[in-house]
């Protein structure tokens, strides 16, 4: 039922024109099901808001990215970037597909071990590797990529404790011609710092370098940046070989491939803007073949996160209130906001209705449920008149949201996985007060009493 609204006179807008004469219109954008399951049924059973993952989409994406590389280079391994999405079920699917675990903290290391991932299937990166985690990782046969000089010192100590030579990798940062140029992780190549680190590793007499890592950024839209990265890494590897006699066993190029989503301020649709995964694979593998010595094919490790998982994740959210702003713009308060959709700070989401809704389409604003001014999902989207309970289907939300979401003001909702058979499985239950309560202690003296409230 449509609730009564005070009539207002206003200019009709059918969406904002952009410079390519496109209109940010939702017209005809109806998604009544996700991976074959009706949105209506999902909400009835699991509530709103709801995160929904498609197992078919996850596996299909992994295989297509893997295929793009394995058809061009003989030795390719993927490391699943836990920070992109460390829901157990999601990690388990990628591990089943053959991915190693790519970890950047003790917490992620604990998660992978808890999932039963053996050390030889783990890559430990990241700027903070606590000593005990590093020690456990080395004992466990993990690939460790060193971030800074203090870590070299830690590893020397560990080699002394274990009384053996430890093989390690180092992380490089380098100028691959993209902005911003990340220089805070690992050792800088161009300044000579990276070679200094290798020298230090050699001097220790307890460590041996076996591989190189670098991760040049995220949502990289130029495949040639990877070609430049690979060229620099390979050349550096041969310089190390010439000086120290260590031949590189692996070249780990990190992640950073974009997903098919639209960044804010970008007019073109993703398909027009972005190189395909084949373009990336072609640029990377060509650069390898061009710069590697004949007969030397080090393992190519790829840590793609976002591109693997983003499109497999969808969010369902419902209108909990409708209003008109003073200028007449319709605004909707949804039950999910930036607390659950951290990537809304960068993405212009693809937002669909779950059914056809009649009425005049107007430029509208979508707010989240938080009592915070920043909680805006879309500031200008063409929508028909929505009522309480109407639903929006938001994609792509599989990358970074279920790790960066906040337990802030609201509880975090259910997350479900739709299997390849179309069954729906709960993979993370909605939180309740007990999740907050179990970590807190209230000193007895502060216990509220009746008189306290009187
Ligand atoms: C975050 C991260 C990744 C994954 O990056 P995406 O942009 O999600 O592909 C890979 N490797 C390292 C070291 C990272 O920190």
């Amino acid at each position: 039922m449509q609730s009564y609204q005070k009539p207002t006179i206003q200019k009709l807008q059918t969406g904002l024109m952009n410079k390519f004469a496109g209109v940010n219109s939702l017209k005809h954008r109806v998604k009544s099901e996700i991976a074959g399951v009706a949105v209506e049924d999902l909400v009835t059973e699991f509530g709103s808001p709801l995160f929904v993952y498609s197992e078919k989409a996850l596996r299909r994406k992994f295989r297509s990215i893997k295929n793009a590389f394995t058809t061009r280079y003989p030795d390719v391994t993927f490391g699943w970037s836990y920070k992109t999405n460390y829901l157990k079920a999601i990690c388990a699917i990628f591990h089943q597909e053959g991915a190693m675990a790519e970890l950047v903290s003790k917490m992620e290391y604990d998660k992978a071990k808890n999932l039963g991932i053996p050390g030889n299937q783990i890559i430990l990166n990241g700027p903070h590797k606590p000593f005990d985690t590093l020690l456990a990782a080395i004992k466990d046969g993990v690939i460790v990529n060193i971030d800074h000089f203090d870590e070299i010192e830690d590893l020397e100590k560990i080699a002394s404790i274990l009384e053996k030579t430890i093989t390690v990798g180092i992380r490089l940062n380098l100028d691959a011609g993209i902005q911003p140029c990340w220089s805070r992780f690992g050792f800088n190549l161009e300044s000579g710092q990276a070679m200094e680190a290798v020298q230090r590793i050699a001097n220790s007499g307890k460590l041996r370098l076996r591989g190189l890592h670098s991760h040049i950024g995220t949502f990289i839209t130029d495949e040639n940046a990877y070609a430049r990265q690979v060229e620099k890494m390979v050349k550096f590897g041969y310089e190390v070989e010439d000086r120290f006699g260590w031949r590189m066993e692996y070249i780990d190029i990190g992640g950073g491939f974009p997903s098919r989503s639209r960044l804010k301020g970008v007019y073109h649709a993703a398909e027009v803007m972005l190189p395909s995964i084949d373009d990336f694979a072609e640029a990377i593998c060509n650069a390898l073949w061009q710069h590697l010595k004949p007969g030397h094919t080090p393992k190519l490790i790829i840590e793609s996160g976002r591109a693997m998982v983003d499109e497999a994740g969808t969010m369902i959210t419902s209108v909990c209130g409708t209003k008109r702003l003073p200028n007449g713009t319709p605004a909707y308060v949804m039950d999910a906001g930036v607390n659950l959709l951290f990537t809304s700070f960068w993405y212009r989401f693809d937002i669909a209705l779950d059914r056809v809704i009649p009425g005049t389409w107007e430029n509208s604003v979508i707010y989240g449920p938080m009592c915070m001014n920043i909680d805006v999902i879309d500031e200008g989207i063409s929508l028909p008149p929505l009522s309480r309970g109407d639903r929006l289907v938001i994609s792509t939300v599989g990358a970074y949201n279920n790790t960066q979401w906040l337990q802030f003001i609201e509880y975090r909702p259910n997350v479900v996985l739709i299997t390849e058979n179309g069954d729906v499985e709960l993979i993370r239950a909605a939180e309740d007060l007990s999740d907050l309560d179990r970590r807190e202690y209230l000193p007895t003296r502060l216990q509220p009493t009746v008189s306290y409230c009187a």
Side-chain angles (χ1 to χ4, degrees), residues 81 83-84 102 104 125 171 213 215 217-219 254-257 303-306 400:
S81 159
K83 79 168 187 294
T84 310
E102 188 276 318
V104 294
N125 293 320
R171 179 164 181 170
H213 172 272
H215 171 63
T218 193
F219 215 101
F257 304 145
E303 303 170 345
S304 177
R306 186 191 305 279
Y400 293 101

Side-chain angles (χ1 to χ4, degrees), residues 26 29-32 34 39 43 48-50 52 314-320 331-336 341 349-355 357 361 364-368 377-378 381-387 389-395:
L26 262 191
R29 296 273 312 127
V30 171
K31 269 186 209 161
S32 54
I34 300 169
V39 169
V43 172
S48 171
L50 181 66
V52 184
T314 306
M315 151 152 283
I316 304 170
T317 173
S318 310
V319 175
C320 45
Y332 301 102
V333 184
M334 309 303 297
D335 56 12
L341 298 172
F349 289 119
D350 179 347
I351 301 175
L353 299 163
D354 77 332
R355 69 198 62 207
I357 294 178
W361 290 60
S364 312
V365 180
I366 307 175
Y367 293 124
I377 298 176
D378 200 307
I381 181 168
S382 188
L383 286 172
L386 304 183
S387 315
D390 284 344
R391 288 183 283 264
L392 298 178
V393 180
I394 303 183
S395 47

